[in-house]
Amino acid sequence: MGLKSRVAVIGAGVAGLSCANVLRAAGMDVLVLDKSRGVAGRMSTRRGEGWQCDHGAQYFTARDPDFRAEVGRWRAAGAAAPWPARLAVIGGAAGHQPDDGLERFVGAPRMTAPARLMAEGHDVRLEQIVTGLRRDEAGWCISTREGGEAADRYDAVVIAVPAPQAVPLLQQAAGDMAAMAAAVRMQGSWAVMLRFAAPVDLPFDAAFVNQGPLRWVARDSSKPGRSGMETWLLHATAEWSEAHIEDAPESVAEVLIAAFAELGATSPAAWSAHRWRYADSAPALAVNHVWNATAGLGLCGDWLNGGKVEGAWLSGRDLGLQVAAALASA
């Protein structure tokens, strides 16, 4: 029996972990690297003393049969649950209008739970910022800010990070893939997490807002498995966020809290803000994933496949299948 093929996956969000799971199931030796302190990417939860709040992806849907089966596994493990939120649409009809027939799911007891489940059993190395990729006759070698160039070699590398973060790595390794990623326009998003001493009396648990600086508001405390203080999440529109992406958190929070007050909310006891510099793409590409068999280099992520959690999972899964098939036949 020959040596196992070795694959490095850069990015421990849903796409990267989905790809890693397929590769491991195919018998590959997989390393996952991520710059953050935890897995999950934008399926993130901020936690503080006595409170928590999902401040990235707010929920996910499952239309594809394979992804529905995956969500079923998450639910069986207690890592996800339906969120039967009271939804409202505020403002003009030209903005977002939800499909009331959709079943919405969230991670439980926080949005990071599905990614944590997917990461179980993997060699995941966190707080590792990848700065370089170089291929020699033995395979791919990876450099990080923290450790320099590692001695290990890999038969393939999967890049599962937002397009702007992929560009500098691709410029070193595959110019045509770098050009494709560089052409993707990703937009920022400001998120403000509010804590209240008592429940906020509003006639909805979440709302799509089609007016002013807000795009979405949600009572995080209404999601299954949550505990602690009453918390709400405010997401600004992409347009407003881009126009104010370099503003101080204090000025951002002031504007968004005032807009929330216009919807009937009371003043929060405390708040925190987070700037997502690469929240979504406008629009997401529609290529699912990219695989360069000659180089042994792949790309996956929600920015390649519709911009949603489901799209990210399918992108990673499909790339994993293609990489596994390619390495098995090599």
Side-chain angles (χ1 to χ4, degrees):
M1 181 179 293
L3 295 175
K4 285 185 176 181
S5 294
R6 306 188 73 199
V7 184
V9 177
I10 302 170
V14 168
L17 292 172
S18 176
C19 186
N21 278 341
V22 171
L23 295 169
R24 184 175 64 176
M28 310 289 168
D29 185 358
V30 184
L31 169 69
V32 181
L33 299 167
D34 198 279
K35 66 182 180 63
S36 301
R37 291 180 295 173
V39 300
R42 282 168 287 168
M43 285 182 70
S44 295
T45 304
R46 180 74 62 86
R47 301 170 69 186
E49 186 174 351
W51 66 277
Q52 67 176 50
C53 188
D54 300 332
H55 60 296
Q58 291 294 289
Y59 62 85
F60 51 91
T61 57
R63 296 175 173 86
D64 180 90
D66 289 342
F67 186 59
R68 288 194 67 84
E70 178 73 359
V71 172
R73 287 188 284 271
W74 296 350
R75 294 179 65 182
W83 181 34
R86 298 173 299 154
L87 275 174
V89 177
I90 299 170
H96 188 96
Q97 300 293 327
D99 181 347
D100 291 333
L102 282 179
E103 187 175 19
R104 293 171 175 83
F105 301 93
V106 296
R110 56 191 68 93
M111 195 58 108
T112 54
R116 292 171 66 89
L117 180 67
M118 287 197 296
E120 288 181 358
H122 280 291
D123 181 4
V124 179
R125 302 180 192 177
L126 301 172
E127 298 183 277
Q128 298 292 308
I129 299 175
V130 177
T131 56
L133 296 175
R134 182 176 66 83
R135 190 174 179 91
D136 59 24
E137 64 279 359
W140 285 103
C141 47
I142 298 174
S143 299
T144 63
R145 183 181 298 175
E146 293 72 21
E149 185 173 285
D152 294 333
R153 294 294 186 269
Y154 299 89
D155 300 293
V157 172
V158 167
I159 300 177
V161 300
Q165 295 174 349
V167 169
L169 299 177
L170 292 168
Q171 285 173 336
Q172 304 168 35
D176 55 338
M177 296 169 75
M180 184 199 69
V184 175
R185 177 177 171 247
M186 294 201 75
Q187 303 173 117
S189 176
W190 273 105
V192 175
M193 297 149 272
L194 309 180
R195 278 93 74 193
F196 296 87
V200 177
D201 185 17
L202 290 172
F204 52 80
D205 297 314
F208 298 95
V209 185
N210 298 326
Q211 62 188 31
L214 290 173
R215 174 176 64 90
W216 167 263
V217 301
R219 180 176 175 249
D220 197 80
S221 302
S222 71
K223 296 178 179 179
R226 272 56 177 176
S227 60
M229 294 181 70
E230 169 93 350
T231 56
W232 283 74
L233 185 281
L234 314 180
H235 268 164
T237 67
E239 295 77 14
W240 191 91
S241 296
E242 283 291 304
H244 299 273
I245 201 70
E246 300 296 342
D247 287 7
E250 292 78 10
S251 62
V252 169
E254 181 180 3
V255 172
L256 298 188
I257 290 171
F260 190 38
E262 292 180 6
L263 304 183
T266 55
S267 296
W271 60 268
S272 301
H274 181 86
R275 177 182 61 188
W276 294 103
R277 189 171 286 279
Y278 306 121
D280 55 37
S281 49
L285 299 184
V287 296
N288 186 279
H289 67 278
V290 177
W291 171 240
N292 184 327
T294 302
L297 188 64
L299 291 173
C300 61
D302 64 343
W303 61 274
L304 285 160
N305 193 31
K308 305 295 183 184
V309 172
E310 180 174 17
W313 184 87
L314 290 168
S315 175
R317 190 276 308 269
D318 292 349
L319 176 58
L321 292 172
Q322 189 164 9
V323 174
L327 294 181
S329 63

